[in-house]
Each structure stands twice: as C-alpha cells, then as structure tokens.
Amino acid sequence: MARYLKDGTMKLKEDIVVGIETSPRTLLKLFNGENFGKLVLQIESQ
C-alpha cells in the first residue's frame, strides 16, 4: 500500500475538524458515520 500512496495511485481521505469546542459534534459525526476517511480532531495549542 505504501507504494500506491507514494506514486499517487491511491489517496488518503481525511476529515479534519479544528478546535476543542467542536469535540461533541465531532464525536457524534464519528458515531453516526457522517465522516469520510479518517476523522481527526485537531486541538490547537497556544
């Protein structure tokens, strides 16, 4: 699979949501199957 990712034959899909305040909605999105690919909750550090 690494070869396919490297040469562009296969692409990863990521659903990135930013901010800790969105975590309840993001978890519901995960449990309801509303995400596509990998669901990532990005928490910004200050």
Side-chain angles (χ1 to χ4, degrees), residues 3-44:
R3 187 181 100 212
Y4 297 127
L5 291 171
K6 188 175 183 179
D7 70 13
T9 304
M10 184 179 200
K11 299 201 186 271
L12 291 176
K13 290 188 177 183
E14 293 180 334
D15 190 358
I16 301 173
V17 183
V18 180
I20 189 73
E21 65 280 351
T22 63
S23 59
R25 271 184 297 166
T26 304
L27 280 175
L28 286 175
K29 192 174 183 179
L30 175 67
F31 294 138
N32 291 330
E34 297 171 8
N35 62 307
F36 59 89
K38 183 185 291 187
L39 181 61
V40 178
L41 176 60
Q42 180 178 350
I43 300 172
E44 297 178 22

